[in-house]
Amino acid sequence: MDQLFTLIFPLVLVIIGLSLFLHFVPLGLWISAMAAGVNVGIFTLVGMRLRRVPPARIVLPLIKANKAGLGVNVNQLEAHFLAGGNVDRVTDALIAAQRAQIALPFERAAAIDLAGRDVLEAVQMSVNPSVIETPFVSGVAKNGIELKVKARVTVRANIDRLVGGAGEKTIIARVGEGIVTSVGGAIDHKDVLENPDHISKTVLAKGLDAGTAYEILSIDIADVDVGRNIGAQLMTDQAEAEKRVAQAKAEERRAMGVAREQEMRAYTQEMQAKVVEAQAEVPHALAMALKEGRLGVMDYYNMNNILADTQMRESIAKTGPMTPQPTKPEEPKK
């Protein structure tokens, strides 16, 4: 047993040591790099392991770039990886740009990738332009008719403005603004329906790609639909608003009239109360005048006669003049 343990223990140590050596020294990857003509030192690969950089993520793109004839070294790729970039995508973008004869240095490609943009897709869009379709944009002509316009914008990526340039949403917003302005400047909506290319020419002449990451090649009107009669609707809404204002003012005047009527009624009731109160004082005043000798008996009788005559005239005025009844003719005596 001791002899068997003595034989197995060194073998296990050798296997463990060989595994650790192959882990820190990727011999297979080093052999592949040497076979591809890429000069990568074995200690460089070990240093990548110590810096927690997967050697395959650096060496394989380096082999690819070397075969494509790109002047890229290990330090550039490793620095880009440590900065959080995608080394393989940057290498593919550089190869695609070289094949398309597009000037794209490694520093600019790395900056585009670190900015969060897909540098390979940008290079592909520079070679093969993309089409951006806008949603329906509503514009109102001067005659009040609404038009809904959909446009297709053909754009090409501008490599020099990918860093710091605006994206597709800005292009869509600017094209929509140009469509609204163009439709709003038309006197009649029929002019737009007859010549929709005027919209694309007007919008394209505004230089909408300034400050963006794209170059606008063409703007084509895909569809134009007739919408609502906004002018008539606005006039209807205005008339309804004026009607409500007039009704509010009429209600205000009616409320003021009711308040004035109630005020006059209260005033009349107050005056009637005062008259009744004054009339109640009349007998007492007459009695005092008779008692003090300021009013004679004949004066009192004359006043009563005047009052009676006044009441009679008022009653006659209320009932109206009496119409005489027709009399029957007398029968002749026999």
Side-chain angles (χ1 to χ4, degrees):
M1 182 65 69
D2 293 338
Q3 293 178 354
L4 182 62
F5 179 77
T6 305
L7 293 175
I8 294 177
F9 183 72
L11 183 61
V12 172
L13 291 178
V14 170
I15 293 173
I16 293 174
L18 184 61
S19 299
L20 292 174
F21 177 78
L22 293 177
H23 175 72
F24 284 98
V25 183
L27 291 178
L29 194 62
W30 179 70
I31 294 172
S32 299
M34 295 299 294
V38 178
N39 187 15
V40 180
I42 190 69
F43 293 104
T44 302
L45 298 178
V46 174
M48 291 182 188
R49 288 291 190 188
L50 295 176
R51 290 188 292 272
R52 297 183 180 182
V53 177
R57 302 287 294 274
I58 304 299
V59 175
L60 295 180
L62 183 63
I63 294 174
K64 191 189 305 182
N66 183 266
K67 290 297 183 181
L70 300 177
V72 181
N73 56 46
V74 178
N75 293 330
Q76 288 177 322
L77 296 180
E78 187 176 358
H80 185 64
F81 179 84
L82 291 173
N86 191 323
V87 176
D88 194 62
R89 187 166 56 194
V90 169
T91 304
D92 292 341
L94 290 173
I95 296 173
Q98 185 190 39
R99 295 294 185 268
Q101 297 182 356
I102 298 175
L104 180 63
F106 176 81
E107 289 75 12
R108 183 175 296 276
I112 294 172
D113 184 64
L114 292 177
R117 295 184 180 273
D118 192 336
V119 60
L120 179 58
E121 182 182 354
V123 174
Q124 292 173 349
M125 189 179 292
S126 296
V127 178
N128 184 20
S130 178
V131 176
I132 301 174
E133 186 169 320
T134 66
F136 276 105
V137 179
S138 297
V140 181
K142 290 184 178 180
N143 62 346
I145 304 299
E146 177 190 23
L147 293 179
K148 298 179 180 179
V149 182
K150 178 185 286 187
R152 289 190 177 95
V153 186
T154 304
V155 296
R156 179 172 59 195
N158 192 329
I159 302 297
D160 296 333
R161 294 187 303 199
L162 277 176
V163 178
E168 293 184 4
K169 293 183 179 180
T170 302
I171 294 291
I172 293 175
R174 290 182 179 180
V175 171
E177 181 184 355
I179 291 174
V180 172
T181 304
S182 180
V183 173
I187 298 176
D188 196 327
H189 71 285
K190 296 179 182 178
D191 299 337
V192 180
L193 295 176
E194 292 175 358
N195 301 297
D197 58 325
H198 290 175
I199 299 178
S200 58
K201 292 179 181 178
T202 303
V203 175
L204 193 60
K206 291 180 177 293
L208 303 179
D209 54 0
T212 65
Y214 302 98
E215 178 185 353
I216 297 178
L217 301 180
S218 66
I219 299 176
D220 304 312
I221 304 302
D223 191 9
V224 180
D225 293 338
V226 179
R228 301 167 298 170
N229 192 337
I230 302 296
Q233 184 176 354
L234 290 176
M235 293 176 64
T236 303
D237 295 342
Q238 182 66 28
E240 184 66 23
E242 292 177 355
K243 175 185 173 183
R244 292 180 180 176
V245 171
Q247 288 178 347
K249 290 183 178 180
E251 182 65 22
E252 181 181 0
R253 289 194 298 267
R254 189 192 67 81
M256 292 179 63
V258 171
R260 182 71 59 84
E261 181 182 357
Q262 292 178 352
E263 183 180 354
M264 293 301 296
R265 188 177 299 173
Y267 178 75
T268 304
Q269 291 177 354
E270 182 181 358
M271 295 303 297
Q272 289 177 351
K274 290 183 177 180
V275 170
V276 172
E277 183 180 357
Q279 288 177 350
E281 295 291 334
V282 170
H284 181 67
L286 289 175
M288 291 296 297
L290 289 171
K291 183 177 180 181
E292 295 176 357
R294 290 178 295 171
L295 182 66
V297 177
M298 295 304 297
D299 295 331
Y300 178 72
Y301 282 123
N302 290 333
M303 184 179 64
N304 286 335
N305 290 333
I306 293 172
L307 291 175
D309 185 61
T310 303
Q311 292 176 357
M312 182 182 67
R313 293 176 182 275
E314 290 178 354
S315 61
I316 292 174
K318 290 179 180 179
T319 56
M322 297 179 63
T323 56
Q325 296 293 332
T327 57
K328 294 182 179 181
E330 294 183 357
E331 297 180 359
K333 294 181 180 180
K334 294 181 180 182

